[in-house]
Amino acid sequence: GENVEQHPSTLSVQEGDSAVIKCTYSDSASNYFPWYKQELGKGPQLIIDIRSNVGEKKDQRIAVTLNKTAKHFSLHITETQPEDSAVYFCAGRASGAGSYQLTFGKGTKLSVIP
Amino acid sequence: NAGVTQTPKFQVLKTGQSMTLQCAQDMNHEYMSWYRQDPGMGLRLIHYSVGAGITDQGEVPNGYNVSRSTTEDFPLRLLSAAPSQTSVYFCASSVTGTDNFGNTIYFGEGSWLTVV
């Protein structure tokens, strides 16, 4: 089955700096990689996702890159703000119309220091 | 649009008691699932369903039962609660379809369960 490793487990950045979180996956058949943000006491919310047919996707201050050869993908947050402080999870899902399960990384706690 | 709704939000159980965590979605999603979240462990899949009358086990199914009698509801039952089941439980749903890349999974707000 799929195994997703996420690093770092904690990350502190100054407000305005960039933050990068990296994930690796084991199943070369995986082709969908979402990122979720979880605020304290809330459920995970999808913030961006990438499919294996593209190498990069951007949405305002956040971007995700995918390297299929190396089997890793990364979340980039630029111009960080205090409201970006949360736990971020990466995930991977194998291909196929009958495949729905996500395998999650263990999370990164991001703290943005004002 | 309520999305995925979980009840209760908080629950304390004694060891050996049984209870049901409720999950309902109003998006007509065929796929529904339950995850548990423990410190340092991420989210682990307990059970899932791809439609009414169909359920299957995930990574950590022991001690839990599910059923799917309607598209909207997917309750999770703890048969005889144990302290190891102290966790935060999340219900999630998505559409199913023919897109080989899959579809976005939406999560509920969580149910905090403590077993003493």
Side-chain angles (χ1 to χ4, degrees):
Chain A
E2 174 70 284
N3 182 49
V4 176
E5 301 278 343
Q6 183 171 349
H7 300 280
S9 56
T10 60
L11 179 61
S12 291
V13 299
Q14 292 288 333
E15 182 177 358
D17 287 350
S18 295
V20 180
I21 302 170
K22 299 180 179 180
C23 290
T24 60
Y25 60 98
S26 61
D27 187 352
S28 57
S30 290
N31 67 354
Y32 175 67
F33 307 95
W35 285 89
Y36 286 84
K37 176 183 180 182
Q38 186 179 27
E39 297 176 338
L40 195 62
K42 302 278 190 178
Q45 287 200 315
L46 180 74
I47 55 171
I48 196 168
D49 57 14
I50 191 167
R51 298 176 170 187
S52 60
N53 58 350
V54 298
E56 184 176 7
K57 184 176 179 181
K58 290 183 179 179
D59 183 3
Q60 299 182 356
R61 295 187 298 108
I62 61 173
V64 58
T65 58
L66 172 65
N67 183 326
K68 288 190 294 182
T69 302
K71 290 193 284 187
H72 68 71
F73 56 110
S74 300
L75 177 71
H76 305 254
I77 306 173
T78 59
E79 301 173 14
T80 54
Q81 301 168 3
E83 51 265 39
D84 294 328
S85 296
V87 179
Y88 291 81
F89 291 96
C90 63
R93 180 160 61 195
S95 64
S99 179
Y100 310 106
Q101 276 65 257
L102 290 173
T103 300
F104 285 86
K106 293 185 178 180
T108 297
K109 183 177 181 180
L110 174 64
S111 300
V112 179
I113 304 164
Chain B
N1 189 350
V4 180
T5 303
Q6 292 183 231
T7 56
K9 181 84 171 179
F10 301 98
Q11 182 72 48
V12 179
L13 281 180
K14 293 182 178 179
T15 297
Q17 285 185 319
S18 62
M19 77 155 298
T20 299
L21 299 176
Q22 302 290 345
C23 176
Q25 52 86 14
D26 60 359
M27 299 175 281
N28 202 31
H29 286 171
E30 300 94 338
Y31 174 80
M32 297 185 74
S33 57
W34 279 100
Y35 288 83
R36 62 177 286 173
Q37 184 176 34
D38 302 293
M41 298 294 291
L43 291 143
R44 293 182 292 170
L45 183 65
I46 304 171
H47 284 286
Y48 66 96
S49 168
V50 298
I54 305 168
T55 64
D56 209 343
Q57 296 181 350
E59 180 185 356
V60 288
N62 292 340
Y64 307 95
N65 267 359
V66 292
S67 60
R68 186 89 180 272
S69 56
T70 67
T71 299
E72 294 78 19
D73 301 298
F74 190 46
L76 177 72
R77 297 183 184 84
L78 281 71
L79 308 173
S80 177
S84 60
Q85 293 179 303
T86 293
S87 189
V88 185
Y89 292 84
F90 289 98
C91 182
S93 73
S94 79
V95 298
T96 59
T98 58
D99 181 346
N100 280 336
F101 292 102
N103 298 287
T104 300
I105 290 183
Y106 298 91
F107 284 83
E109 291 290 279
S111 296
W112 273 252
L113 176 67
T114 301
V115 182
V116 298

